[in-house]
C-alpha cells in the first residue's frame, strides 16, 4: 500500500502540471504534434474553409444574362445611369464587354431603357449637314461634297429601313460636268449592305435597291449601281437578277393559280364531305412564252369589182390617111387619066367616091328605105374600144399576241376518305367505301369547279382510300431543367452537398484526430495505475471512495470486480482528471 501510495503523488503532480492549454484539450494535442504535421493540418483546415466559402458564394451568385446583343449606336453612359436609377444590378463581362443583368430583371431593364428613350441611334449623316452654318469663304467644291454626303446618308437610311438590312453605306461617284460631249462621264454608285445573321436578300429586293439608288441620282443608270453584302458577295448582277426575278414571278404566279383552283375544290367539297375527310391538290402547267403572229387570208369565192375603165374612140374623115407615114406619103398625087370608054359597066366596076350616091349593078341609085333618100358611100372611119376592170378578193389580216401566263394544262387529284357510319343502337362506327356513282358525282363537281377542258388535256382524278387514324399531336412542354429557377435550386443543392462532403470527409476526421490523441494517452496512463493498485490487501474491499466537490461521485467497491472498477476510473479520469489527481494527492498526504 505504501509503494502504491508513493507512486501516486508523482502521477498527480504530472497531471496537474499538464493542464489543458486555455482549457481546450485539442489545442494541447495540437501543440504536442510535430511542426510538419501541424502545418499539414492547418493547411487542410484552411483549404476546407476556403472551399466552403467559395461554394457558398457560387451558390448564392445570381444568373446574369446579356441586356442586348450589342450596344452599337447606344450611349453606354446613359444606359448605365438608367439602370442605376431603376435599382437594377448589372455587371460587365470582362472578355466581350457585354452588359449583363439578372435574368429576372431582364424584361424590366429593357422596359426602363425604352421608357427613358435609350435606343440605338443612327450615326449616318443626312441632309441635316446642310443645316449647319457654313463659313463665308466656303468653296463650291465643299458645297458639292456636303450635298453628296447628305445624299449618301439619306440613301443609307432608306436602305437600312428594309427588314433584312441591319445597316448600309452608299458611295456615290458623281463626276464633274463638262461642256465637251467627248468628256462627258456618267455617275456610278456602290452600296454595301450589312444583313442580319441568318437572313438574305431576295433578287427582287436587290433590284429594288438598285432602282432606288438609280432613280435618286440624276443621270445614273441601273447598270452603274453595284450592291455588295458584308461578306463580299456581289448581289447586283443585272442579267442574273433579271432572270431570277422573272423566274420568281413566274413561280409565284403559278402557285397563286394553283392555290385559287385548290380553294375552289375546297369550297365545293367541304360542305359535302366535311372538314378533314378529303385531300385535294392542283397542278397547273402555265405557258409563259410570248408568241406574236400575223396572218393574211384571201377568199377566191367572193370576188368584188373594185374599179372599171372603158374607152370608146371612133373617127371619120373624107380623106383618110394613106400610105406609110413619111416623106413618100407627103408627095403630090400623079396625073389623072380619063377612061377611054364610058358605060354602066364601067361605072359600076369603078369604086364609088365617099359621099357619092351608091348604085347597084344596073346603075340605079340605092335608096334608104327609112329616109327615102339615096344612100351615100361612107367615108373611111377608125374605131377603138378599151376596157380596164379591177377586182378585189376577200382578204383578212390578223395579228395575234398570246398573253404570258396562259394555262396550258390542269391536273387535279382528290383523295376521299371512307364514309363513317354510326350504329344508333350499339354506337359502333363502321367505315364504308364510296360507290362508283358517288365518285363520279364528285368528279363532275371538281371538273365544273376548276373549269375542266378536255381539248386542253386537263385531267381530274378522284379516288377513294381509307385515311389513317389521326393521332392528336402532343405539343411538348418546355423541360423544367431549362427554367432559371431550376438551376438556382441545383446550385443551392450542389453547394450544400459540397459543404457536407467537406465536413464529413475532411473536417470531422481532422478534428477527431486532434482531440482524440490526448484522450488515448490518459486512458493508457489510467490502465497502468489501476494495474498497480489491483494487488492491494482486502482491507479496502468493502470501502467506497467518494470524490468531494459540488457533486459527489461514488466509486465502486473493490468487491464489485476489476472490470467495474476499471470502467469507473476510466470514466472519472476522462471527465475530470484534475479532481482525480487531487483525491490521490489527499490519500498520499493522509498516509504520511
Amino acid at each position: 500500500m505504501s509503494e502504491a501510495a508513493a507512486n501516486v503523488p508523482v502521477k498527480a503532480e504530472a497531471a496537474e502540471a499538464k493542464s489543458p492549454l486555455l482549457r481546450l484539450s485539442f489545442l494541447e494535442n495540437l501543440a504536442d504534434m510535430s511542426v510538419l504535421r501541424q502545418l499539414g493540418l492547418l493547411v487542410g483546415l484552411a483549404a476546407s474553409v476556403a472551399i466552403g466559402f467559395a461554394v457558398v458564394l457560387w451558390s448564392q451568385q445570381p444568373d446574369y444574362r446579356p441586356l442586348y446583343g450589342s450596344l452599337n449606336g447606344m450611349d453606354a453612359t446613359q444606359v448605365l445611369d438608367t439602370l442605376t436609377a431603376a435599382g437594377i444590378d448589372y455587371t460587365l463581362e470582362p472578355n466581350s464587354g457585354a452588359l449583363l443583368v439578372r435574368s429576372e430583371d431582364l424584361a424590366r431593364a429593357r422596359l426602363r431603357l425604352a421608357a427613358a428613350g435609350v435606343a440605338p441611334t443612327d450615326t449616318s449623316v443626312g441632309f441635316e449637314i446642310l443645316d449647319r452654318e457654313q463659313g463665308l469663304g466656303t468653296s463650291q467644291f465643299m458645297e458639292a461634297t456636303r450635298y453628296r454626303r447628305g445624299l449618301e446618308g439619306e440613301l443609307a437610311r432608306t436602305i437600312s429601313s428594309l427588314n433584312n438590312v441591319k445597316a448600309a453605306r452608299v458611295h456615290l461617284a458623281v463626276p464633274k460636268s463638262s461642256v465637251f460631249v467627248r468628256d462627258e462621264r456618267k455617275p456610278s454608285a456602290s452600296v454595301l449592305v450589312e444583313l442580319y445573321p441568318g437572313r438574305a436578300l431576295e433578287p427582287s429586293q436587290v433590284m429594288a435597291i438598285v432602282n432606288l439608288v438609280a432613280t435618286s441620282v440624276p443621270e445614273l443608270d441601273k447598270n452603274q449601281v453595284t450592291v455588295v453584302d458584308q461578306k463580299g458577295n456581289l448581289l447586283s448582277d443585272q442579267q442574273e437578277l433579271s432572270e431570277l426575278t422573272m423566274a420568281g414571278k413566274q413561280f409565284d404566279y403559278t402557285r397563286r393559280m394553283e392555290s385559287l383552283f385548290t380553294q375552289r375544290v375546297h369550297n365545293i367539297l367541304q360542305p359535302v364531305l366535311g372538314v378533314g375527310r378529303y385531300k385535294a391538290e392542283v397542278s397547273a402547267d402555265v405557258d409563259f412564252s410570248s408568241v406574236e403572229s400575223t396572218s393574211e387570208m384571201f377568199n377566191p369565192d367572193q370576188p368584188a369589182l373594185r374599179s372599171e375603165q372603158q374607152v370608146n374612140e371612133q373617127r371619120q374623115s373624107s380623106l383618110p390617111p394613106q400610105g406609110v407615114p413619111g416623106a413618100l406619103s407627103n408627095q403630090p398625087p400623079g396625073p389623072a387619066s380619063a377612061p377611054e370608054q364610058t358605060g354602066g359597066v364601067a361605072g359600076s366596076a369603078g369604086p364609088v367616091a365617099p359621099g357619092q350616091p351608091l348604085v347597084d349593078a344596073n346603075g340605079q341609085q340605092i335608096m334608104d328605105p327609112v329616109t327615102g333618100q339615096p344612100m351615100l358611100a361612107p367615108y373611111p372611119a377608125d374605131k377603138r374600144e378599151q376596157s380596164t376592170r379591177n377586182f378585189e378578193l376577200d382578204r383578212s389580216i390578223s395579228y395575234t399576241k398570246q398573253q404570258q401566263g396562259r394555262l396550258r394544262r390542269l391536273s387535279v387529284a382528290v383523295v376521299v376518305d371512307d364514309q363513317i357510319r354510326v350504329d344508333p343502337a350499339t354506337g359502333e362506327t363502321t367505315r364504308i367505301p364510296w360507290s362508283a356513282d358517288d365518285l363520279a358525282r364528285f368528279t363532275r363537281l371538281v371538273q365544273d369547279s376548276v373549269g375542266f377542258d378536255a381539248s386542253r388535256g386537263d385531267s381530274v382524278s378522284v379516288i377513294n382510300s381509307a385515311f389513317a387514324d389521326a393521332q392528336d399531336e402532343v405539343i411538348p412542354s418546355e423541360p423544367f431543367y431549362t427554367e432559371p429557377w431550376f438551376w438556382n435550386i441545383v446550385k443551392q443543392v450542389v453547394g450544400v452537398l459540397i459543404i457536407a462532403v467537406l465536413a464529413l470527409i475532411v473536417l470531422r476526421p481532422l478534428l477527431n484526430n486532434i482531440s482524440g490523441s490526448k484522450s488515448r494517452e490518459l486512458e493508457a496512463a489510467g490502465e497502468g495505475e489501476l494495474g498497480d493498485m489491483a494487488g492491494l490487501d482486502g482491507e479496502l474491499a468493502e470501502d467506497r471512495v467518494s470524490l468531494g466537490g459540488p457533486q459527489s461521485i461514488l466509486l465502486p467497491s473493490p468487491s464489485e470486480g476489476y472490470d467495474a472498477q476499471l470502467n469507473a476510473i476510466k470514466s472519472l479520469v476522462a471527465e475530470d482528471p484534475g479532481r482525480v489527481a487531487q483525491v490521490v494527492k489527499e490519500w498520499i498526504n493522509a498516509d504520511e
Side-chain angles (χ1 to χ4, degrees):
M1 180 69 182
S2 59
E3 293 177 2
N7 294 332
V8 170
V10 178
K11 298 289 182 178
E13 290 177 358
E16 184 178 5
K18 293 183 179 180
S19 61
L21 183 62
L22 298 179
R23 302 296 180 180
L24 296 176
S25 59
F26 73 91
L27 293 179
E28 183 180 359
N29 297 336
L30 184 62
D32 294 339
M33 296 180 182
S34 62
V35 176
L36 184 60
R37 189 175 181 183
Q38 289 178 2
L39 291 177
L41 292 176
L42 291 179
V43 169
L45 182 61
S48 301
V49 174
I51 294 174
F53 275 109
V55 170
V56 171
L57 294 177
W58 171 78
S59 62
Q60 297 296 330
Q61 184 179 7
D63 183 19
Y64 282 93
R65 293 188 178 183
L67 179 60
Y68 289 109
S70 175
L71 296 179
N72 294 334
M74 302 179 66
D75 189 358
T77 304
Q78 189 177 3
V79 172
L80 298 181
D81 294 342
T82 304
L83 295 179
T84 304
I88 299 175
D89 296 334
Y90 61 87
T91 182
L92 294 176
E93 209 281 329
N95 295 328
S96 62
L99 183 62
L100 307 177
V101 297
R102 293 184 178 181
S103 57
E104 58 270 13
D105 296 336
L106 182 61
R108 188 165 64 94
R110 292 179 178 176
L111 289 177
R112 287 283 186 175
L113 293 177
V118 181
T121 57
D122 187 9
T123 57
S124 60
V125 180
F127 279 142
E128 63 270 9
I129 192 175
L130 301 178
D131 298 334
R132 300 177 183 176
E133 190 172 337
Q134 302 180 8
L136 183 60
T138 303
S139 61
Q140 185 179 3
F141 172 76
M142 291 300 299
E143 293 179 353
T145 303
R146 288 186 177 182
Y147 175 77
R148 190 181 71 251
R149 286 188 59 194
L151 183 58
E152 291 175 350
E154 293 295 333
L155 290 175
R157 290 176 181 176
T158 305
I159 297 173
S160 300
S161 61
L162 297 178
N163 292 334
N164 296 337
V165 180
K166 182 179 180 182
R169 295 191 65 183
V170 180
H171 304 280
L172 298 178
V174 182
K176 187 178 180 181
S177 60
S178 175
V179 295
F180 299 101
V181 178
R182 63 175 178 269
D183 296 337
E184 189 70 21
R185 291 180 297 173
K186 298 295 183 181
S188 60
S190 301
V191 180
L192 174 65
V193 292
E194 181 182 357
L195 306 178
Y196 286 104
R199 298 186 184 182
L201 288 177
E202 298 292 336
S204 58
Q205 293 176 326
V206 178
M207 185 62 70
I209 294 176
V210 171
N211 292 334
L212 174 66
V213 176
T215 54
S216 300
V217 180
E219 299 181 2
L220 177 59
D221 188 48
K222 293 188 297 183
N223 297 326
Q224 300 297 325
V225 179
T226 304
V227 181
V228 184
D229 63 0
Q230 74 270 24
K231 297 181 181 179
N233 299 322
L234 179 62
L235 307 178
S236 60
D237 189 355
Q238 297 295 328
Q239 182 177 1
E240 183 180 0
L241 282 178
S242 59
E243 294 177 355
L244 291 177
T245 302
M246 183 60 65
K249 290 181 179 179
Q250 294 175 358
F251 180 80
D252 294 340
Y253 178 79
T254 304
R255 291 297 170 264
R256 287 198 304 268
M257 182 177 292
E258 292 176 351
S259 300
L260 175 62
F261 286 118
T262 305
Q263 186 61 37
R264 289 182 178 179
V265 175
H266 286 321
N267 294 338
I268 200 67
L269 292 182
Q270 185 173 353
V272 180
L273 300 176
V275 180
R277 307 301 304 169
Y278 67 95
K279 294 296 180 181
E281 290 294 336
V282 178
S283 176
D285 185 7
V286 184
D287 185 11
F288 292 100
S289 59
S290 178
V291 179
E292 299 181 4
S293 62
T294 303
S295 61
E296 184 176 1
M297 301 177 62
F298 295 91
N299 188 3
D301 298 333
Q302 296 180 355
L305 182 61
R306 180 179 181 183
S307 62
E308 181 179 4
Q309 184 180 4
Q310 293 182 355
V311 177
N312 295 327
E313 185 178 354
Q314 186 175 3
R315 184 177 60 180
Q316 295 180 355
S317 175
S318 59
L319 294 176
Q322 298 179 358
V324 180
L328 298 177
S329 62
N330 295 331
Q331 294 179 1
S337 60
E340 297 179 355
Q341 296 180 359
T342 57
V345 178
S348 60
V352 179
Q356 298 298 323
L358 293 176
V359 294
D360 55 6
N362 297 324
Q364 298 294 328
Q365 292 184 351
I366 301 174
M367 304 301 291
D368 187 0
V370 179
T371 61
Q373 299 294 330
M375 297 182 62
L376 300 178
Y379 291 96
D382 294 335
K383 184 177 181 180
R384 185 172 64 89
E385 294 182 359
Q386 181 180 357
S387 177
T388 302
R389 294 181 179 181
N390 295 324
F391 291 91
E392 289 288 351
L393 297 178
D394 186 13
R395 183 182 65 170
S396 62
I397 300 175
S398 62
Y399 173 77
T400 305
K401 181 179 180 180
Q402 295 183 0
Q403 182 66 30
Q404 292 184 353
R406 183 174 55 90
L407 182 60
R408 182 186 302 169
R409 187 173 181 272
L410 192 65
S411 301
V412 183
V414 180
V415 58
V416 183
D417 193 9
D418 292 339
Q419 303 181 61
I420 297 179
R421 294 184 180 180
V422 180
D423 189 357
T426 60
E428 296 180 357
T429 59
T430 57
R431 291 178 174 268
I432 302 175
W434 294 93
S435 63
D437 296 337
D438 294 333
L439 295 179
R441 289 191 300 108
F442 296 153
T443 303
R444 288 193 299 270
L445 288 175
V446 174
Q447 289 178 353
D448 294 339
S449 63
V450 299
F452 177 79
D453 188 1
S455 62
R456 195 171 53 192
D458 296 349
S459 64
V460 175
S461 300
V462 179
I463 64 173
N464 177 213
S465 179
F467 287 2
D469 295 335
Q471 298 180 357
D472 296 336
E473 183 180 359
V474 179
I475 300 177
S477 59
E478 188 175 359
F480 67 92
Y481 52 82
T482 60
E483 298 292 337
W485 58 266
F486 175 77
W487 292 108
N488 292 333
I489 295 177
V490 168
K491 290 170 64 176
Q492 300 289 341
V493 172
V494 170
V496 172
L497 291 177
I498 293 176
I499 293 176
V501 169
L502 288 175
L504 294 176
I505 298 179
V506 179
L507 295 179
R508 184 178 179 182
L510 185 63
L511 295 177
N512 290 337
N513 188 15
I514 295 175
S515 61
S517 59
K518 190 65 177 179
S519 300
R520 287 191 296 270
E521 293 178 359
L522 293 176
E523 290 177 1
E527 290 179 357
E529 292 178 358
L530 292 175
D532 295 339
M533 296 176 62
L536 296 178
D537 295 337
E539 299 178 357
L540 300 177
E542 300 297 331
D543 295 341
R544 300 180 66 87
V545 181
S546 175
L547 297 179
Q551 187 177 10
S552 61
I553 301 176
L554 297 178
L555 296 177
S557 62
S559 62
E560 292 184 3
Y562 176 76
D563 294 335
Q565 295 177 0
L566 181 60
N567 292 333
I569 293 174
K570 284 182 178 180
S571 61
L572 181 62
V573 172
E575 291 178 0
D576 195 352
R579 294 180 62 186
V580 174
Q582 185 65 26
V583 170
V584 174
K585 183 179 179 179
E586 291 180 356
W587 287 352
I588 294 174
N589 293 332
D591 292 339
E592 290 177 356

